[in-house]
Amino acid sequence: MKVFYDKDADLSLLKSRKVAIIGFGSQGHAHAQNLRESGIDVRVGLRQKGASWAKAEAAQLQVRTVAQAVAEADLVMMLIPDETIADVYRAEVEPNIRQGAVLAFAHGFNIHYGQLEPRADLDVIMIAPKAPGHTVRATYSAGGGVPSLVAVAQDRSGNSHNIALAYAAAIGSGRAGIIETNFREETETDLFGEQVVLCGGMVELVKAGFDTLVDAGYAPEMAYFECLHELKLMVDLMYEGGIATMNYGISNNAEFGEYRVGPKIITDQTRQAMRDVLAEVQNGEYAKAFILESRAGGPVLRSRRRLDAEHPIEQVGAKLRAMMPWIARNRMVDTSRN
């Protein structure tokens, strides 16, 4: 594995280019503002007067329609949802992007699964920060950065790798580490990690623990603190120094319980389910399901969002968090701004 830092990146490769950020969601707002503060000439491409237009203007960024932003740029970074990238590329990017320009992604999904075929004259690269955009922005603003993965899918100029390094450094990743990978590896590991651990596995584990305690007659507030609120404390310790640091920071009682009970929760059956999930990611079955869901208008997403919002853990959590105003004061996600 190759790891690069600020010293390995030549920002002049980016400062000599005009950059268009397509989208102003979680990653879009972070990339655009970090790039600008690194001295890059950046503009944001959005739907005309769409929901994010005023937010980008409030951030004092240059705002254009997607077609206008693409036509002005030498590097175009696609930071809209995965399910919309292929259509936007065909309708607004491909007809307007300059010959020999750079087309960039923050996730390899559309390239790896063949949802679009980039024009042959383009460099095609990936810069994938390993954190949500709100963390990318907050960490940069505090003088740090989050690690990023970089990869090259199409190298027409012979300089794609260096351009990717420059971009990663400009959003702050050179301060933490820029790791070389490829589109397949990034896509498959990212999807697996999200589904099995970071999102799917974690959410279901938290809800199941909460439900078990409440069903046994314990107060929902107690269940919330034990199964959700304190999760951040454990993750922060692991983030700081790995599992060993977490175990050092907890009681002997908690550590003993970890060793005794963890394998009862993550069983051979669970591990086989993980292998099955990985196989569906590798063979494209998951991608096919997600694409069909998107084309149908997201019925599963809408239904599950509604059901999860009605789960008692969300109702109890909202009340308890209101008792802790410092959480809101230090929030990373501000929907009014990005």
Side-chain angles (χ1 to χ4, degrees):
M1 182 181 71
K2 294 182 179 179
V3 183
F4 304 88
Y5 297 93
D6 279 340
K7 64 181 177 59
D8 303 305
D10 181 2
L11 276 186
S12 69
L13 291 172
L14 212 59
K15 290 183 177 179
S16 63
R17 289 174 163 81
K18 294 180 173 64
V19 175
I21 300 297
I22 309 305
F24 200 68
S26 173
Q27 289 290 341
H29 92 278
H31 287 227
Q33 293 180 93
N34 291 8
L35 288 171
R36 179 184 60 188
E37 291 172 21
S38 290
I40 310 303
D41 183 357
V42 63
R43 70 269 302 120
V44 178
L46 300 169
R47 288 182 294 109
Q48 182 77 49
K49 300 303 179 182
S52 296
W53 192 284
K55 295 177 182 179
E57 286 186 328
Q60 298 183 321
L61 289 156
Q62 303 178 64
V63 189
R64 311 278 192 270
T65 65
V66 172
Q68 289 169 339
V70 169
E72 291 180 8
D74 306 294
L75 187 154
V76 176
M77 168 58 93
M78 303 294 289
L79 293 176
I80 52 179
D82 289 326
E83 62 270 26
T84 64
I85 282 178
D87 288 342
V88 171
Y89 173 77
R90 284 188 283 268
E92 298 182 78
V93 176
E94 188 172 43
N96 295 293
I97 192 168
R98 297 174 178 177
Q99 286 284 317
V102 181
L103 179 65
F105 300 86
H107 183 31
F109 186 93
N110 279 275
I111 296 296
H112 179 55
Y113 292 116
Q115 295 306 293
L116 64 88
E117 184 175 349
R119 225 170 53 200
D121 62 281
L122 303 175
D123 284 349
V124 181
I125 62 175
M126 177 174 61
I127 304 94
K130 299 311 294 175
H134 307 91
T135 305
V136 174
R137 179 61 183 153
T139 307
Y140 178 95
S141 298
V146 303
S148 277
L149 306 179
V150 295
V152 175
Q154 196 164 282
D155 185 17
R156 303 303 297 177
S157 70
N159 209 23
S160 299
H161 180 263
N162 290 329
I163 296 169
L165 287 181
Y167 187 106
I171 62 171
S173 295
R175 304 167 181 173
I178 303 166
I179 301 169
E180 190 174 51
T181 185
N182 57 64
F183 274 65
R184 179 192 66 80
E185 183 175 57
E186 184 277 336
T187 302
E188 293 178 359
T189 58
D190 186 74
L191 292 175
F192 175 83
E194 289 170 346
Q195 294 170 27
V196 169
V197 180
L198 304 176
C199 305
M202 179 187 67
V203 167
E204 289 305 312
L205 184 64
V206 166
K207 290 194 297 184
F210 177 90
D211 291 341
T212 299
L213 286 175
V214 172
D215 290 346
Y218 296 98
E221 293 80 5
M222 293 295 295
Y224 176 86
F225 278 120
E226 292 300 328
C227 296
L228 190 154
H229 181 80
E230 292 191 27
L231 184 64
K232 181 183 185 305
L233 309 179
M234 301 300 104
V235 171
D236 283 350
L237 288 170
M238 286 193 284
Y239 179 86
E240 179 181 310
I243 295 171
T245 293
M246 184 201 74
N247 285 334
Y248 181 84
I250 63 179
S251 69
N252 289 338
N253 201 342
E255 185 181 2
F256 179 74
E258 169 195 333
Y259 301 142
R260 185 170 185 269
V261 176
K264 297 179 181 180
I265 305 301
I266 304 301
T267 63
D268 289 342
Q269 184 178 5
T270 310
R271 293 177 183 277
Q272 183 56 51
M274 291 181 178
R275 289 189 286 268
D276 293 343
V277 168
L278 179 57
E280 289 191 350
V281 168
Q282 291 171 327
N283 65 25
E285 282 299 310
Y286 169 76
K288 184 188 302 181
F290 178 69
I291 291 163
L292 290 174
E293 163 76 5
S294 302
R295 289 176 179 170
V300 174
L301 283 170
R302 292 199 307 274
S303 174
R304 288 304 305 268
R305 287 167 183 164
R306 177 180 57 79
L307 291 173
D308 280 358
E310 296 170 355
H311 192 283
I313 199 171
E314 293 288 65
Q315 313 302 318
V316 172
K319 293 177 182 177
L320 292 176
R321 288 191 295 273
M323 296 165 54
M324 298 175 278
W326 59 87
I327 294 178
R329 284 198 300 267
N330 297 320
R331 66 183 183 271
M332 289 188 293
V333 180
D334 184 348
T335 57
S336 69
R337 296 175 59 192
N338 49 66

